[in-house]
Amino acid sequence: IEKLEGGIKVLSHPMFTDGITYSNLYFDSSKVPQNKVLYLKLLASVLGNVSTEKYNIMQLSNEMMKYTGGIGFSSTSFKNNTDSNKYSPKMSVSVNSINSALPNSLGLLDQIMNHSKFDDKERMKDLIKKIRVNYESMFVNEGNRIAIKRTLSYLSDSGKYADLEYLPYYDFICDLDDNFDVKFEKMVKNLNEVKDIVFNKEELVVSYTGDEKNYDKFIVGLNKFGERIKDEKFPKQKYEFDFSKKNEAFVIPSQVQYVVKSGCFKKEGYNYNGHMKVLENILNSDYLWPEIRVKGGAYGGAMSFTKDEVLFYSYRDPNLKETLNTFDDTVKFLKNFKVSEKEMTNYIIGTIGSMDSLVGPSSKGLMGDNMYFTGTTQADIQKLRDEVLSTTAGDIRNFVGLLEDIKKQNLHCVVGSETKVNENKDLFDRIIVPIKKAKQ
């Protein structure tokens, strides 16, 4: 339910939460200049982990545990439901608390947002080193995330923006870590500048998920909190991205690969529909799992659709080129796809089951927020359901043309071992060793 409270747009999700308020504040971050977007990511990483004017780090941690179920910051973006080149960058702030503690939790949020201190040199150095180590661990253990985001970055502006959080951010953190003493003062200045741009009332949207009877109390607290949010005007930025780099391989210290292939079906003239959900179910269970997991020995493999893109990916895979060939051979599988009406019904039931998993109140609220920012309507969701339920074996075979077009686009990214990457170096335009040795 959309409301306007004290000049702030509120998305209310009234439902039983047993006295807990789940609130999310979405600050518009599209005003941050492109050369400072990575500081936006760093800001989200350090807020709540540094001292404020009122609390040192230990006191702040204790207060958050006492009055909240957590305060989290995330630099994110919402991709438009109909055009992946349109997206809304946000600084998302989540605050969960029991209703009686809401004033205290909003007071803590005010301290963190408006009064955090980034000039503790030792603390900031420790946080940056920790971010660096965590990313290096992610490269090795969750290379699929890196490969998926990088492959999607070949296709759209929203993909480019989302990919900033991975290798570009890691490179930025390494530079800060290796040259910390030289860059410290500029880093503090930029963090404060970005903080002042982002935490503003203009285009702020607040989400409330909780009992309807407690909504008015929430608004009283929000109005008081709103008085402490700046209301300044900054120009919206236009981000420009370079799409010349594609088909990359990232070499990590590992004996397995994360292999991803993608493509944009919308530019080939196809539109997203519910039959694609059923196709995902069929290919994942009857083709990709047997070929990539059972025969190929990978930990797993699957495919999925976004509203205008298709992704194939494998996880902890001993192979590389063989897996890309398996992705391409999906076309052969579909050409020979024949099943009975009963088998088709089972695929549809499985698909609906995956769409209707049980979620709690917090997740329902986040789903509603996502629908709002992406422009998704209930009618869109119902249309998708109707299309899933009406899918036939013929509809599945009709995807042969789409997948042939994706194959021709020939876009892929691999995170994996030096040996496998070098054996297949002709597949890549660039080979990169992402993990950097820290300066002593």
Side-chain angles (χ1 to χ4, degrees), residues 303-362:
M303 67 87 69
S304 64
F305 286 95
T306 70
K307 291 298 169 65
D308 39 24
E309 300 142 343
V310 60
L311 271 171
F312 291 87
Y313 52 93
S314 71
Y315 184 80
R316 293 189 179 276
D317 190 344
N319 303 306
L320 194 160
K321 187 173 184 177
E322 298 85 350
T323 297
L324 288 172
N325 290 339
T326 298
F327 294 156
D328 288 342
D329 286 344
T330 304
V331 171
K332 295 178 186 175
F333 174 83
L334 284 193
K335 283 180 178 177
N336 299 314
F337 181 74
K338 292 177 183 176
V339 292
S340 67
E341 187 175 338
K342 182 180 180 182
E343 288 172 309
M344 201 65 219
T345 299
N346 287 336
Y347 286 130
I348 291 169
I349 291 170
T351 304
I352 290 290
S354 69
M355 294 168 68
D356 280 339
S357 55
L358 290 170
V359 292
S362 174

Side-chain angles (χ1 to χ4, degrees), residues 50-57 60 111-112 115-117:
V50 295
S51 300
T52 69
E53 287 183 7
K54 189 174 179 180
Y55 303 108
N56 64 34
I57 300 159
L60 183 63
Q111 274 293 307
I112 295 169
H115 305 289
S116 284
K117 298 160 76 173

Side-chain angles (χ1 to χ4, degrees), residues 20-21 64-72 94-98 105:
I20 298 173
T21 292
M64 284 198 287
M65 284 193 285
K66 184 177 178 181
Y67 292 112
T68 80
I71 297 177
S94 64
V95 187
N96 305 325
S97 66
I98 57 173
S105 63

